[in-house]
Amino acid sequence: MKINQIPSTLTSGSKRKRRGRGSGSGLGKTAGRGVKGQKSRSGVSINGFEGGQMPLYRRLPKRGFKNKFKKKIQTVNFNNLTSIISKYGIDSNNIKETELFDKKIFNKSKGDLKLLNSGDLKEIINIEISFATKNAIEKIEKLGGKIKLTKN
């Protein structure tokens, strides 16, 4: 058996280019890498290299700051809550943040939930949530509901 007679192990419909399998394939010998030099060899890592010239990422000034301790917080208002209660059939006497994440109403990876005081609240709700504004807490308690904050 010769190297150009080796059967392909690829089973999908589209043919991939089999490099370095003889001159008849059109991609034999150097396998489309050209001749000599760093790029023709394996293990090349020269992203951003400009042949000795000062690279662009070093010519430009450093800018900005990314706070790695920043809290990720998603906002929820009373209008959102009422629509969620009606759409997903959640019990308004026992709304939990974990339940909202489990039912995939909110994405946990985007952070904890914070209840804001915007919109109208028509019914009494009991809710367990990470954060809430003072006015939102007052509005819930004024109607006769309860709120439990899991984080502060």
Side-chain angles (χ1 to χ4, degrees), residues 46-60:
I46 51 173
N47 285 344
F49 182 70
E50 297 184 21
Q53 174 179 301
M54 186 63 67
L56 181 68
Y57 68 89
R58 287 184 61 198
R59 285 194 299 253
L60 298 175

Side-chain angles (χ1 to χ4, degrees), residues 2-58:
K2 295 183 180 118
I3 199 162
N4 64 341
Q5 294 172 333
I6 298 172
S8 174
T9 56
L10 190 68
T11 56
S12 66
S14 62
K15 289 270 188 183
R16 75 170 212 271
K17 292 179 180 177
R18 299 187 69 228
R19 297 172 183 275
R21 294 292 182 273
S23 59
S25 68
L27 289 168
K29 196 183 166 207
T30 54
R33 286 177 174 262
V35 191
K36 293 185 181 177
Q38 186 178 5
K39 284 185 175 178
S40 69
R41 292 166 169 86
S42 66
V44 176
S45 61
I46 51 173
N47 285 344
F49 182 70
E50 297 184 21
Q53 174 179 301
M54 186 63 67
L56 181 68
Y57 68 89
R58 287 184 61 198

Side-chain angles (χ1 to χ4, degrees), residues 48-108:
F49 182 70
E50 297 184 21
Q53 174 179 301
M54 186 63 67
L56 181 68
Y57 68 89
R58 287 184 61 198
R59 285 194 299 253
L60 298 175
K62 290 194 267 187
R63 279 185 58 92
F65 168 75
K66 187 153 187 157
N67 186 359
K68 60 183 177 181
F69 300 107
K70 180 182 175 185
K71 290 180 183 175
K72 288 182 174 179
I73 296 174
Q74 302 176 72
T75 58
V76 185
N77 59 36
F78 292 122
N79 290 339
N80 291 359
L81 271 182
T82 52
S83 66
I84 287 168
I85 289 167
S86 62
K87 185 177 179 183
Y88 294 96
I90 295 172
D91 180 23
S92 62
N93 291 328
N94 191 16
I95 303 169
K96 292 188 178 181
E97 183 177 353
T98 52
E99 187 182 354
L100 298 176
F101 289 138
D102 292 341
K103 290 193 174 188
K104 297 194 174 153
I105 300 166
F106 291 98
N107 191 346
K108 177 69 176 152

